Amino acid sequence: MKKQISVMQQVRAYIEQQPLGKPFTPAMLLACGSRAAVDQALSRLTKVGFIERMGRGLFVRPEVSRYAGKVMPEALQVAEALAERTGSAVGVHGAEAARRFGLTTQMQTQPVFNTSGPSRRILIGNLEVRLSHVSSRKMALAGRPAGMALSALWYLGKEEVAPATIAVLRQRLPAEEFNVLSNSKSIMPAWMSDVFNRFEQGQYTNG
């Protein structure tokens, strides 16, 4: 019994140290005790209303606004928590990346993120968050602006990407990030690295 109480105290202390609204999984709490003991502690804390279960294996201590009530985590936070369970990377999906760079006006109808881990969907209230597995090559620069730009280029594809597209990225990326992107030709498909070569040669309009 003493061990079980100790696990409960450790789990609660860990959660209290995390920012309100940050989602977490049982795997993040295994330093507190066995998986069975952690699961039991989370179940008890859910029953007393200290935390909420957002979906299978995903919990949160919600932030409460006096005006809006409970504020649920952002979709990216959920995606990152899901990916962390498998030690996977997560990045902005190409469609959203292209929109952020002004390369398209198309908006996602639901939050989708690239991941090096398994594909997965989770429903949070009426919002579905989806992780879509992509190759390690597409995730090589994940987590930085250069990686988001690379994701946008993969999404747009061979027929849409031209030297003028690279010019836009150069304008909207920090210089350091654009250098990282342009120096990553080894992870690009031949058609993409060819566009970069043409851009560097000054062929801005030969799309």
Side-chain angles (χ1 to χ4, degrees):
M1 176 66 76
K2 290 183 179 179
K3 183 178 180 181
Q4 187 177 29
I5 293 174
S6 176
V7 170
M8 168 65 77
Q9 291 173 338
Q10 290 182 66
V11 167
R12 183 169 184 133
Y14 173 90
I15 296 170
E16 288 177 336
Q17 292 171 4
Q18 305 307 305
L20 290 175
K22 180 181 179 180
F24 61 91
T25 67
M28 300 176 185
L29 298 162
L30 294 182
C32 301
S34 68
R35 178 59 188 262
V38 167
D39 284 346
Q40 185 175 15
L42 292 174
S43 177
R44 290 174 61 187
L45 290 173
T46 301
K47 286 180 181 179
V48 298
F50 181 69
I51 59 175
E52 288 191 9
R53 183 177 182 272
M54 299 176 63
R56 184 179 178 184
L58 190 65
F59 299 84
V60 68
R61 184 183 175 203
E63 181 179 358
V64 179
S65 164
R66 60 182 295 184
Y67 301 108
K70 292 179 182 178
V71 181
M72 299 307 288
E74 296 181 358
L76 178 58
Q77 290 179 301
V78 174
E80 290 173 338
L82 292 175
E84 189 171 339
R85 295 179 62 180
T86 56
S88 308
V90 65
V92 176
H93 188 272
E96 174 61 13
R99 187 191 68 80
R100 292 188 189 184
F101 283 113
L103 299 173
T104 179
T105 57
Q106 185 176 0
M107 295 187 66
Q108 292 179 308
T109 56
Q110 66 180 32
V112 183
F113 300 90
N114 291 340
T115 181
S116 58
S119 296
R120 184 173 176 189
R121 299 169 184 257
I122 186 167
L123 192 63
I124 305 171
N126 295 323
L127 178 68
E128 183 182 73
V129 178
R130 182 159 63 93
L131 294 179
S132 178
H133 173 78
V134 297
S135 68
S136 57
R137 198 162 56 143
K138 294 182 178 181
M139 295 295 295
L141 302 177
R144 59 188 305 166
M148 189 167 71
L150 182 63
S151 180
L153 295 174
W154 277 103
Y155 171 76
L156 293 172
K158 182 177 180 179
E159 300 302 319
E160 296 295 327
V161 175
T165 312
I166 310 304
V168 171
L169 294 179
R170 187 180 65 172
Q171 292 174 352
R172 297 180 182 177
L173 280 170
E176 180 182 353
E177 289 296 317
F178 182 78
N179 288 336
V180 169
L181 178 64
S182 60
N183 290 330
S184 300
K185 296 185 183 70
S186 62
I187 63 174
M188 298 177 184
W191 65 263
M192 192 184 296
S193 61
D194 177 64
V195 175
F196 270 89
N197 289 334
R198 290 160 54 202
F199 168 79
E200 291 164 359
Q201 293 164 10
Q203 300 178 32
Y204 290 84
T205 58
N206 292 353

